[in-house]
Amino acid sequence: MEAAVSPFPDDADALKALLATALLRADEAEQRAASVEAELANARALASATEALIAHLKLQNAKLRREQFGPSAERTERLLAQFELRLEDLEADAAEDELAAEAAAAMTATVSAFQRRKPVRKPFPDHLPRERVVVPAPCSCPACGGGRLSKLGEDITETLEVIPRSWKVIQTVREKFACRDCEKITQPPAPFHVTPRGWAGPSFLAMLLFDKYGQHQPLHRQAERFASEGVPLSVSTLADQIGAACQALMPVFHLMEGHTFAAERLHGDDTTVPVMAKGKTVTGRLWNYVHDDRPFGGNDPPSVVFYYSRDRCGDHPRRHLTAWSGILQADAYSGYNELYAPNRQPGPILEAGCFAHARRKFFELADVEGAARKKSRGKKAPIVY
C-alpha cells in the first residue's frame, strides 16, 4: 500500500516561503475587499446626496413657483410641508452615509472618501452668551523641553450648546402676626396671579400658550413631554389654564382690535383650518384683518386680528366690519358685496381689488391660450386640390 503524498514541502525554508505567499495573498484579498466596501459606501453616499439635492431643488422650485404665481394655494402649503419633511429625512440619511463612507475609506489606501457638498453654515448669533473654556498650555516645549514659551495667538472653536428646560416651584410665604396690645392678627395681602388660584406662573402660561397657538402643539403632546420631564399634568388641567389665560388676555385683544379697526385701510382675507368633528374633519375659517400703513408712509405699528367661524357665510365679515368704514383690500368673495353698498351705515366701504388674486386669472388665460396654440399647431393643414 503506497503512502499518501503531502501537498506541503518538507523543507522549512520552503514552508516559510509558502506561508509568506499565503499571508500576502490574504492581505491583498483583504485590501481588495476593503476597497470594494469603500467604493460601495461611496456609491451609497453619492446616491443619498444626489437624492437629497434633488429634493432640495424640488422644494426650491415649488417655493419659487408659489412666489411667482401668488400664494393662492393653501393647498400648496401642505405640499411644501411634505417636501420639507422628506428633505429632512434625506439630509439625515446623506450625512449618515457620508460618515460610513469616511470610515470605510479609512480602511484602505486607494479609495478616497466621498465629500458631500454642504451649504455654508451661518455663524452663531452674536446675542448668545459665550463661555470661554481655555485648554491648558504646556509648561515646557514638547520638542526640546525648554521653558521659554511665548504666546503667538490662539484658535477658537465654537460649539453650540443648550441648557435643558428646568422646573421649579416658587413658595410665596405670607407670615401672620398677632398684636399683643389689641390681639388683632395681620398678614400681608396675597400676591397678584394671572389666573385664579394662581398655581401656574406667568412664564409657564406664556410657554403653554405659545406652544399651543404659535407652534401648533396640542395639549396632550405638551402633557406627554411635561410628564417625561417629571412634571405630570393632566390635559384637563392645562385646558383650564388655557381658558383662564385667554380670559385674562381679552383686554389686550380688545386694545389690538381697536387699534386695527381705527385704520383707514384694511386688508381682509380668510383661510381654511381643519376642525375635528364627530367621526370626521370639517373645514373652518380664520378671518384676518390687517392694519399696516408702512407701504403708504404711515408710522402706526402694524397689527392683525383673527376671528374664527365654522363656515364661510357672508354674515361673518359683515358682523366683523359692522362699525368700520374705509378702504378694504380683499379678494372677490361675494360675502363682501353688501359692505360695498353706497348707502351703507355707518359709512361706505371702498373696494380695493387684490392684485395677487387678480393676476392668477391672467396666468390662467395665458395657460389656456398657450394650450390652444399648441393644439392648433398640431392640426394638419387641409389639402386643396
Side-chain angles (χ1 to χ4, degrees), residues 27 30-32 34-36 38-39 103-113:
D27 185 63
E30 185 178 354
Q31 287 292 330
R32 286 196 298 271
S35 298
V36 171
E39 291 175 357
M107 305 296 293
T108 69
T110 58
V111 180
S112 58

Side-chain angles (χ1 to χ4, degrees), residues 77-158:
E77 292 182 3
R78 299 179 182 178
L79 180 62
L80 292 176
Q82 293 299 320
F83 277 154
E84 293 280 6
L85 292 174
R86 179 60 177 161
L87 179 60
E88 291 176 8
D89 295 338
L90 292 175
E91 290 281 1
D93 293 341
E96 184 179 358
D97 291 339
E98 182 184 8
L99 293 176
E102 290 179 0
M107 305 296 293
T108 69
T110 58
V111 180
S112 58
F114 170 77
Q115 297 291 332
R116 182 168 62 98
R117 294 183 59 184
K118 303 177 185 178
V120 179
R121 181 182 60 81
K122 296 180 179 180
F124 298 131
D126 295 334
H127 65 82
L128 294 178
R130 260 65 174 178
E131 178 182 346
R132 186 176 174 88
V133 178
V134 180
V135 179
C139 299
S140 60
C141 178
C144 66
R148 301 177 59 188
L149 301 178
S150 60
K151 183 177 178 180
L152 299 179
E154 61 184 17
D155 293 331
I156 299 178
T157 302
E158 291 192 338

